[in-house]
Amino acid sequence: MSLELKPKKWPGAIRTVTLGSGSRRPLTVGGGNGLPLHTFEASFPHRPVLALEITDVPPPRWIDTVRQPWNGVLGQPAAAARRAVDEFGADLVMLHLVGTHPDRGNRSPQEAAADVRAVLDSVPVPLIVKGPGAGPKQNDVLARVAEECQGEGLALHSACQEEYKTLAAVAVAYGHVLVAESPIDMNIAKQLNILLADASMDLRRTLMDPLTGGLGYGLEYTYSVMERIRLAALGGDAMLNSPMICLVGEEAWKAKEVKVSGGVHWELATALALIEAGAEVLVLRHPESLARLHRQLDCWFGGDACR
Amino acid sequence: VPLTGLQVFKLLPNTNCRECGYPTCLAFAMKLAAGKESLAKCPYASPEACAALGAASAPPIRGVTIGRGSRAITVGEETVFFRHEKTFVRRPGLFRVLNPAPNRDALLDSWRSLRIERAGEVFQVDGVAIPESPGSPDLAAAAAERGFPVAILAATLDGASATAERIKDHRPLLVPPAGADLGAYASQAARLKIPLVVSGSDLNALAAGAMDATRAGAADILLEPPGADLRGLHHSLSAIRRGALDRIHPGLGHPVFLRVAAGEFEKAVLGITKFASLLAIEDHGGETWLPLWTLRQNIYTDPQKPLQMQPGVYSIGEPNVNSPLLVTTNFSLTYFIVSTELEATGLACHLAVVDAEGLSVLTAWSAGKFAGDRVAKALRTMQATERVSHRTAIIPGYVSVISGELEDALGDGWRVLVGPQEASDLGPFFRDVWQPAQ
């Protein structure tokens, strides 16, 4: 009795999205036409990419384990970006403008734009820029950054269902990529993409952030919603087939277990599980997690056997 | 492959005798096909019908039990590829590899007493995997006597047989070395009536090997998937699960066994998420176990039944009678987020977790599980009201509407302070609202 396993074919595929333009070395993600990592039956022209997170001011809530690799450059975005790319080998960088939050320093949009410019001047890779979060400051900061860094193809993080028009407009006007965030909810993710398309946003310039639950803190919800989104996309739903980005480091290092157990393993397990569920852009905090994941991805997509 | 209602109908006598409780054979057939009735209710079902329905309803992946007694573990019996389709049912066993050690009794005792409780589940060492050495029969006996299920990682047939013979009544798992002559091991497993791991250089050889082992009399089989690296392993794991669910080959309908060497943390993560049922893990040092147990907890949680916390008063830091008293629901995610944010504020406090059947705050309130009188009763029952002298309870901002009825129900001069909607705003809330109020 011989064993015959037919490759599974799908009508849909993931959109390709290119991060970085202008002075950036561009990086394209997406394009796969099968279940995540199913390289044995589907084609994946682009592999998942790994970013490291840096901050504009010393990060207020990072624990020592994750601060340690960044000693001397915390809160210095240009120097931290160089370390992330040149020493640690990050594919791209996420600058979190945490210091623009009203409770965290209330830095101005002008200062934020200067920080982004400094990072662009220090490294050639694409840049994700995360604003201070919900609230009026988010738009002020990201709109200013978008305008001052016209044509650089930044990924602006993020727009949500309640507040997307301003950011969609500036992303279109100044040539950036927009991250559409939904609260672990496939219907809202789809709705937001429809709204963005109506706002004349080209979906080839958007990523979806399904909202990451860290290991032990809701990972299973994110994992399953991503699997469902990916199945819908492969089934042909053009409003759910954007590549997905996960802010892994931020969630994994929040767990209280990382203070007693190895934080790198916590981040690594969260990230690998989410790659299996379909993440194409992962934002990490610890260079060791990045190195270990790179090794696995090299093996998966580079064609060389490895451990 | 499950039968359709009409296919089942053709197997029934079509007399519409109603003895099954349904008006017609067709109605009964539809229920049978949906898995909602048992053929035993039809007194006239033919042996052929029983056989056909039995084969169609047999689980696509067999269950296998390793060990005896309270720590025995059953794996397999999975029915889906994606957890959201239904749920994954049998949490994979995470066995710890025990190499010969001078202090083995103390080590085994410490493994046996290890218990970590997290969100309603107890993490423990599920079993012990023993690589063959001259001392392995004694080691295996020491582990089995302590109640651990044992996996025998064989190097030679004679060595493994000696160990297996010694603890055969404890139902150990026999794991032959890679590339071994499976026939001889299968005969041993059949003779001792113990479960066996079958491996193969590729999926074809694996499935054929499982069929051979079955024919040799081995009743309980686990499959060790081929794959030199994570990519190859992921391919095997996915193909075995899909092949089993689609019933492509009967040799694939068994649970999966995986060896994880020291430092192969990523392999363990892949195994837990992607269909491995039993992992023999070499020690990486303590810090790798907690993330693996937690990952298993997440992946094997039934998507229909959220993880719940035990209701009660939880201490954040070392609170006293002047510390704030906050109230929330027993949805584990809500608890984790609130407690993490509370810890980040640096202010010690009491967190009263009220039984709301595992629902989040707003959902619980709209389902009537977080009404003022219900919360008040819970706070009294758990004696939360006796922990503080200030008689102030802080409720989540989303349920500000219950503050009046909660104050009334608590009586006794209690007042209710409405907290923020999001736990991340607790810091500013303590600073701007709580402290000025004290």
Side-chain angles (χ1 to χ4, degrees):
Chain A
M1 188 169 199
S2 97
L3 180 64
E4 211 171 316
L5 289 164
K6 292 193 199 75
K8 196 152 183 129
K9 297 292 171 202
W10 301 86
I14 306 311
R15 244 177 244 280
T16 55
V17 172
T18 298
L19 306 172
S21 51
S23 70
R24 304 296 87 197
R25 207 160 61 202
L27 201 54
T28 302
V29 293
N33 63 0
L35 290 170
L37 299 177
H38 280 229
T39 45
F40 53 89
E41 61 178 359
S43 71
F44 295 86
H46 307 289
R47 54 194 271 172
V49 297
L50 306 178
L52 282 172
E53 176 178 353
I54 60 175
T55 53
D56 56 346
V57 296
R61 286 169 67 173
W62 290 25
I63 65 168
D64 283 346
T65 327
V66 69
R67 299 175 83 94
Q68 191 271 328
W70 302 97
N71 270 345
V73 297
L74 283 167
Q76 301 170 38
R82 268 195 300 276
R83 188 176 294 182
V85 175
D86 299 341
E87 279 183 47
F88 298 150
D91 300 319
L92 69 170
V93 169
M94 181 176 92
L95 173 59
H96 183 186
L97 297 167
V98 61
T100 60
H101 192 282
D103 288 342
R104 304 253 184 243
N106 207 17
R107 288 164 64 81
S108 69
Q110 186 53 49
E111 288 171 292
D115 286 335
V116 176
R117 177 50 65 191
V119 172
L120 291 173
D121 289 342
S122 75
V123 290
V125 300
L127 188 58
I128 305 159
V129 180
K130 178 169 157 62
K137 197 71 187 288
Q138 172 90 336
N139 285 350
D140 294 349
V141 168
L142 290 180
R144 186 61 173 271
V145 166
E147 185 181 350
E148 303 232 343
C149 303
Q150 180 165 8
E152 296 286 0
L154 306 174
L156 304 173
H157 191 289
S158 63
C160 60
Q161 191 186 21
E162 294 76 25
E163 184 60 68
Y164 65 91
K165 286 184 179 150
T166 307
L167 292 181
V170 300
V172 170
Y174 302 115
H176 298 297
V177 170
L178 186 59
V179 178
E181 183 174 335
S182 48
I184 317 191
D185 186 314
M186 179 157 106
N187 297 323
I188 294 176
K190 178 165 177 162
Q191 177 65 17
L192 181 52
N193 273 351
I194 293 170
L195 292 170
L196 289 173
D198 287 348
S200 50
M201 184 87 218
D202 179 351
L203 291 188
R204 284 173 303 176
R205 301 190 63 78
T206 65
L207 299 173
M208 286 189 287
D209 182 341
L211 195 68
T212 301
L215 176 61
Y217 296 82
L219 174 68
E220 70 273 34
Y221 294 92
T222 302
Y223 183 87
S224 283
V225 94
M226 287 174 70
E227 287 196 325
R228 290 170 56 216
I229 287 174
R230 184 48 41 96
L231 286 168
L234 293 174
D237 191 331
M239 287 299 139
L240 280 172
N241 68 352
S242 310
M244 291 187 274
I245 176 173
C246 290
L247 272 45
V248 171
E250 165 173 312
E251 294 305 319
W253 289 94
K254 244 189 226 170
K256 44 179 149 252
E257 288 85 349
V258 302
K259 290 167 200 155
V260 288
S261 182
V264 168
H265 288 108
W266 213 264
E267 185 172 44
L268 192 52
T270 307
L272 187 52
L274 293 178
I275 290 174
E276 290 169 24
E280 271 101 359
V281 183
L282 296 103
V283 184
L284 308 163
R285 281 186 178 169
H286 201 291
E288 192 184 331
S289 327
L290 177 107
R292 290 181 69 158
L293 287 167
H294 259 154
R295 235 170 2 248
Q296 296 305 338
L297 292 170
D298 285 348
C299 150
W300 233 294
F301 296 93
D304 298 318
C306 59
R307 278 162 53 81
Chain B
V1 185
L3 301 179
T4 66
L6 278 177
Q7 286 170 319
V8 175
F9 174 65
K10 287 179 187 155
L11 297 166
L12 296 177
N14 196 16
T15 52
N16 298 336
C17 69
R18 298 172 178 244
E19 287 182 45
C20 60
Y22 289 88
T24 62
C25 287
L26 183 60
F28 182 53
M30 300 312 259
K31 290 286 175 189
L32 279 174
K36 290 182 177 151
E37 271 301 350
S38 155
L39 187 61
K41 285 200 179 168
C42 175
Y44 310 107
S46 66
E48 294 76 33
C50 293
L53 273 170
S57 62
I61 298 169
R62 300 187 48 153
V64 174
T65 299
I66 295 146
R68 293 235 188 257
S70 62
R71 293 185 89 126
I73 180 167
T74 299
V75 296
E77 298 179 340
E78 300 295 338
T79 58
V80 292
F81 193 86
F82 296 103
R83 60 185 290 280
H84 66 256
E85 292 175 276
K86 195 167 183 204
T87 179
F88 293 163
V89 287
R90 295 282 188 186
R91 292 197 308 240
L94 303 185
F95 281 31
R96 200 161 177 174
V97 173
L98 177 62
N99 285 302
N103 55 346
R104 67 151 208 240
D105 285 337
L107 198 59
L108 281 168
D109 286 339
S110 75
W111 289 7
R112 185 172 55 176
S113 55
L114 180 71
R115 283 172 59 88
I116 296 174
E117 196 168 340
R118 187 180 197 284
E121 182 184 335
V122 175
F123 299 156
Q124 57 180 14
V125 177
D126 296 323
V128 176
I130 298 178
E132 189 174 322
S133 72
S136 46
D138 289 344
L139 213 49
E145 279 159 16
R146 285 170 174 77
F148 284 118
V150 172
I152 300 167
L153 305 180
T156 63
L157 181 62
D158 288 348
S161 301
T163 305
E165 190 80 52
R166 175 86 176 269
I167 58 165
K168 64 177 192 293
D169 294 338
H170 295 278
R171 238 185 123 67
L173 173 68
L174 180 57
V175 189
D181 167 20
L182 281 176
Y185 282 91
S187 315
Q188 274 299 355
R191 189 177 66 79
L192 298 170
K193 299 189 170 57
I194 59 175
L196 171 76
V197 168
V198 170
S199 59
S201 54
D202 58 34
L203 288 171
N204 249 311
L206 180 67
M211 298 292 283
D212 290 344
T214 304
R215 276 192 288 271
D220 291 308
I221 291 168
L222 276 79
L223 305 175
E224 184 170 13
D229 53 26
L230 283 206
R231 171 185 160 129
L233 193 60
H234 176 261
H235 177 189
S236 300
L237 289 162
S238 305
I240 291 170
R241 172 61 62 92
R242 190 188 285 163
L245 296 180
D246 293 350
R247 298 177 196 265
I248 284 170
H249 191 297
L252 295 180
H254 304 281
V256 167
F257 171 83
L258 207 59
R259 296 177 214 245
V260 180
E264 292 186 325
F265 179 77
E266 292 88 337
K267 185 174 178 182
V269 169
L270 179 72
I272 289 170
T273 44
K274 293 291 173 191
F275 321 131
S277 284
L278 204 141
L279 293 86
I281 301 173
E282 282 215 60
D283 214 46
H284 296 55
E287 63 181 35
T288 54
W289 287 91
L290 195 56
L292 294 179
W293 280 322
T294 307
L295 179 66
R296 180 183 66 177
Q297 178 176 48
N298 281 172
I299 296 296
Y300 279 77
T301 293
D302 184 343
Q304 306 293 323
K305 294 183 202 138
L307 287 177
Q308 300 187 18
M309 296 301 295
Q310 191 67 34
V313 186
Y314 291 78
S315 294
I316 309 293
E318 289 170 13
N320 58 34
V321 291
N322 298 315
S323 306
L325 168 66
L326 298 100
V327 184
T328 193
T329 78
N330 70 328
F331 177 37
S332 69
L333 213 49
T334 301
Y335 166 80
F336 282 134
I337 291 167
V338 173
S339 62
T340 306
E341 293 293 340
L342 284 174
E343 277 170 17
T345 67
L347 190 65
C349 41
H350 306 278
L351 178 58
V353 171
V354 172
D355 182 6
E357 296 175 13
L359 300 174
S360 63
V361 170
L362 211 46
T363 325
W365 173 75
S366 39
K369 311 291 182 201
F370 208 68
D373 51 347
R374 194 177 155 119
V375 173
K377 197 171 161 208
L379 290 177
R380 294 261 182 234
T381 311
M382 64 178 74
Q383 298 181 319
T385 45
E386 288 157 38
R387 301 277 184 113
V388 294
S389 56
H390 50 66
R391 300 198 177 197
T392 306
I394 300 167
I395 60 169
Y398 279 116
V399 289
S400 56
V401 55
I402 70 165
S403 61
E405 53 180 284
L406 179 56
E407 266 180 11
D408 291 347
L410 281 169
D412 250 1
W414 274 79
R415 71 190 182 111
V416 170
L417 210 52
V418 177
Q421 293 192 343
E422 300 298 335
S424 52
D425 296 326
L426 279 164
F429 168 80
F430 284 147
R431 186 188 63 211
D432 301 336
V433 182
W434 166 258
Q435 270 150 2
Q438 289 310 298

